[in-house]
Amino acid sequence: MHVVINAKEFGLKKNSDKLQTKAIQDAIDYCYKNGGGVVEIPEGNYFTGDIRIRSNITLHLLKGANLTGSKNPQDYFNYLNDNIEPLNKNQITDAGYVHLSTILNEKSYEDEKSEYRFKRIVGSRWNNAVIRAVDAQNIKIIGEEGSVIDGANCFDEIGEEEYRGPHGITFFNCTNIELNGYTIKNAGNWAHNLLFCDNITADNITVLAGHDGFDASVCNNLKIVNSKFYTGDDCIAGVGNVNTYVSECVLNSSCSAMRFGGSNVLVEKCDICGPGKYCFRGSMTDEEKRNSKPSKTKGKRNNMLSAFTYYADYSLPIKVQPGNIIISDCTIKMADRFLHYNYSGNETWQKHRPLESIEFRNIKAEGVKMPVTAYGDENIPVKLTLKDIEITLREGYENIDLIHACNYSSIVLDNVSVSGFKGECMVRKWSEGEILFKNVKPDNINKVKKASKPFFTEAI
């Protein structure tokens, strides 16, 4: 049986100042009990707490449908009273903000005990969201023109960093996910939070303001295409992923366009551009956060820190060796850094499994002030390839080195041009390895110099 119902049939009222969570959930549950189907949200604004979608359910936001989340963080615990698919007691913690690293021991992340402890976080405050799914398959969120999911910048004084509220969407251990057509804005924390999910397609989605745009960790087969991210934090982030494809997206960030780790990652035909249209909310005052103020940029930090930052911390298992990351046919504008990979030990988010290889192809970058940090692991040195690259340095930063490198198996520069370059050398190295140059401009400078001072780079 395939059911198509409109949530109005279950008492949904538009433009009401009362929560419509129950009406939407009742419609979803009716569909689920009858074998799955489509729940339509009609045009209008609907005030809601947390909604749980289930297997074989499509949440269809019709033209002009707007789900606006509550600004009260206590309105996002309805899943605790779920009698249809209740979480067991081992999946729930009553803690406020539980960072994943407090649940997983870094020395035993692959053993059964750690997997068990990690599962508890699915029922934590940190995983709260406007829309949630747990252990579900064949789920969709489809939006028509003008459809919006608005997190309302929900403030939570006992949330992450003492101000972050619920995510926009949280999916945990789900398979076969389709996201299409909607705009999600002002999420209290990440717009999308996917953990242990497989077979994900996001097409034609837009993320505005808030925090991270799309976080996927320990996920397989992720595809993000034809989408726009204008975020206060990272556009696309995640750790421990296998098989990721990102194409024809706008990535505008006040942190990193991508803070990502995984195996077999292809990013192509994307417009990576800074500074951020919306500010990093961490630079706002406590009063502005508490009052859920919009993410305006005036007087706040909105520079893009990096086009690509490697991500690998101990909060989650990384079961496949990270590498074969390719960024191709992209433009980069006004990013402070071109690539940031720092395995030297001073960055929390890069202390887990090291990166084996990364390649940039056919890239045109303008306004960069610190091009490449490539510091690998002694046992798994990084292979870095730059091919068909044009870099124009930001005014005032012409006297820098192109690459700072340590623990590398090879560095290849093939048809690389750096306009305005006045640095002492192209590559400053802290260790030995193969370095190859082919058609590199300018060609009248030192290609490689051994560092005389200890390595240092600012953490991101």
Side-chain angles (χ1 to χ4, degrees):
M1 181 178 181
H2 185 78
V3 179
V4 179
I5 57 173
N6 192 300
K8 289 192 300 184
E9 300 175 35
F10 291 82
L12 184 69
K13 297 180 180 179
K14 71 177 181 179
N15 305 326
S16 172
D17 59 359
K18 295 183 179 179
L19 289 173
Q20 301 298 300
T21 315
K22 185 177 185 303
I24 299 171
Q25 192 64 60
D26 285 351
I28 290 170
D29 294 349
Y30 175 85
C31 247
Y32 176 72
K33 291 176 181 177
N34 284 276
V38 178
V39 174
E40 296 178 337
I41 307 296
E43 178 275 334
N45 187 57
Y46 305 96
F47 184 45
T48 185
D50 64 312
I51 301 160
R52 183 172 177 181
I53 61 175
R54 310 184 190 277
S55 292
N56 305 310
I57 296 294
T58 295
L59 184 64
H60 188 179
L61 306 177
L62 301 182
K63 183 177 180 179
N66 190 332
L67 294 179
T68 299
S70 169
K71 291 186 179 181
N72 183 353
Q74 295 305 120
D75 288 333
Y76 295 88
F77 289 91
N78 291 294
Y79 64 90
L80 295 178
N81 300 314
D82 188 343
N83 295 318
I84 296 176
E85 296 179 283
L87 300 181
N88 65 54
K89 63 181 180 179
N90 293 326
Q91 292 177 301
I92 299 171
T93 176
D94 58 1
Y97 164 54
V98 181
H99 190 273
L100 306 185
S101 59
T102 67
I103 291 180
L104 281 176
N105 183 294
E106 65 184 57
K107 295 182 179 179
S108 59
Y109 68 89
E110 289 179 329
D111 66 26
E112 292 182 2
K113 184 177 180 181
S114 292
E115 294 287 351
Y116 164 79
R117 286 188 294 163
F118 177 76
K119 276 208 165 189
R120 291 178 58 215
I121 203 170
V122 67
S124 74
R125 189 184 195 94
W126 183 84
N127 259 324
N128 284 354
V130 178
I131 301 173
R132 170 193 295 262
V134 179
D135 299 332
Q137 58 184 353
N138 306 323
I139 53 178
K140 300 179 182 180
I141 302 175
I142 307 296
E144 295 185 7
E145 182 183 356
S147 60
V148 176
I149 301 166
D150 187 346
N153 291 320
C154 181
F155 171 84
D156 188 356
E157 65 183 358
I158 60 173
E160 181 179 356
E161 297 175 334
E162 298 181 337
Y163 78 96
R164 297 200 194 202
H167 303 291
I169 295 169
T170 286
F171 290 162
F172 188 99
N173 196 35
C174 296
T175 304
N176 301 334
I177 298 165
E178 182 179 340
L179 307 170
N180 188 289
Y182 57 83
T183 292
I184 184 166
K185 66 180 184 179
N186 302 324
N189 205 330
W190 303 342
H192 301 83
N193 170 36
L194 284 76
L195 294 165
F196 293 94
C197 294
D198 294 337
N199 306 332
I200 307 146
T201 298
D203 188 353
N204 189 31
I205 62 172
T206 299
V207 178
L208 304 176
H211 299 265
D212 288 5
F214 203 109
D215 275 72
S217 288
V218 199
C219 292
N220 298 311
N221 307 323
L222 167 64
K223 181 179 180 181
I224 304 174
V225 296
N226 305 314
S227 296
K228 297 178 181 179
F229 296 87
Y230 296 90
T231 62
D233 213 317
D234 307 320
C235 290
I236 298 175
V239 60
N241 301 291
V242 178
N243 300 333
T244 299
Y245 179 63
V246 179
S247 180
E248 297 188 274
C249 292
V250 174
L251 305 178
N252 175 261
S253 166
S254 292
C255 282
S256 293
M258 292 195 70
R259 186 195 298 261
F260 205 79
S263 309
N264 304 330
V265 178
L266 175 59
V267 181
E268 65 174 4
K269 302 175 184 177
C270 290
D271 179 11
I272 299 171
C273 52
K277 183 177 180 180
Y278 299 97
C279 76
F280 174 60
R281 291 190 67 81
S283 66
M284 298 174 69
T285 67
D286 291 343
E287 182 180 0
E288 288 169 333
K289 296 172 188 173
R290 183 174 295 278
N291 293 323
S292 302
K293 292 291 186 180
S295 301
K296 295 181 179 179
T297 57
K298 186 176 181 180
K300 312 300 178 186
R301 191 188 70 71
N302 69 322
N303 56 304
M304 181 184 284
L305 300 177
S306 175
F308 192 98
T309 299
Y310 181 60
Y311 187 24
D313 74 357
Y314 274 107
S315 66
L316 290 161
I318 303 176
K319 297 183 178 181
V320 178
Q321 172 59 50
N324 191 29
I325 297 177
I326 298 172
I327 299 92
S328 176
D329 298 281
C330 296
T331 58
I332 299 172
K333 294 181 180 178
M334 295 303 292
D336 290 356
R337 309 180 191 214
F338 188 94
L339 164 66
H340 186 68
Y341 171 40
N342 174 24
Y343 204 71
S344 67
N346 72 323
E347 296 202 45
T348 301
W349 312 117
Q350 299 197 37
K351 285 187 175 182
H352 198 343
R353 298 190 70 170
L355 176 63
E356 190 169 50
S357 63
I358 185 166
E359 180 174 354
F360 290 82
R361 304 174 184 163
N362 194 25
I363 305 293
K364 186 174 182 179
E366 300 176 6
V368 177
K369 73 176 188 179
M370 185 179 179
V372 177
T373 299
Y375 194 115
D377 175 60
E378 289 184 359
N379 299 314
I380 304 179
V382 65
K383 179 180 179 180
L384 170 65
T385 302
L386 303 179
K387 180 176 174 58
D388 299 327
I389 307 294
E390 295 181 27
I391 297 176
T392 302
L393 297 174
R394 193 178 305 179
E395 185 176 354
Y397 294 89
E398 298 89 351
N399 292 315
I400 61 173
D401 308 321
L402 178 65
I403 298 173
H404 283 183
C406 186
N407 299 330
Y408 54 92
S409 60
S410 68
I411 296 175
V412 177
L413 289 82
D414 183 355
N415 194 29
V416 174
S417 172
V418 187
S419 298
F421 184 80
K422 299 177 183 177
E424 189 177 352
C425 61
M426 279 284 181
V427 179
R428 192 172 300 276
K429 63 179 185 177
W430 277 259
S431 66
E432 299 301 322
E434 184 180 40
I435 303 177
L436 300 176
F437 293 89
K438 181 181 178 181
N439 190 26
V440 176
K441 298 179 181 179
D443 57 7
N444 59 344
I445 59 165
N446 293 314
K447 294 294 193 293
V448 182
K449 293 201 75 171
K450 186 77 177 283
S452 58
K453 297 180 180 180
F455 174 85
F456 173 78
T457 186
E458 291 183 0
I460 290 182

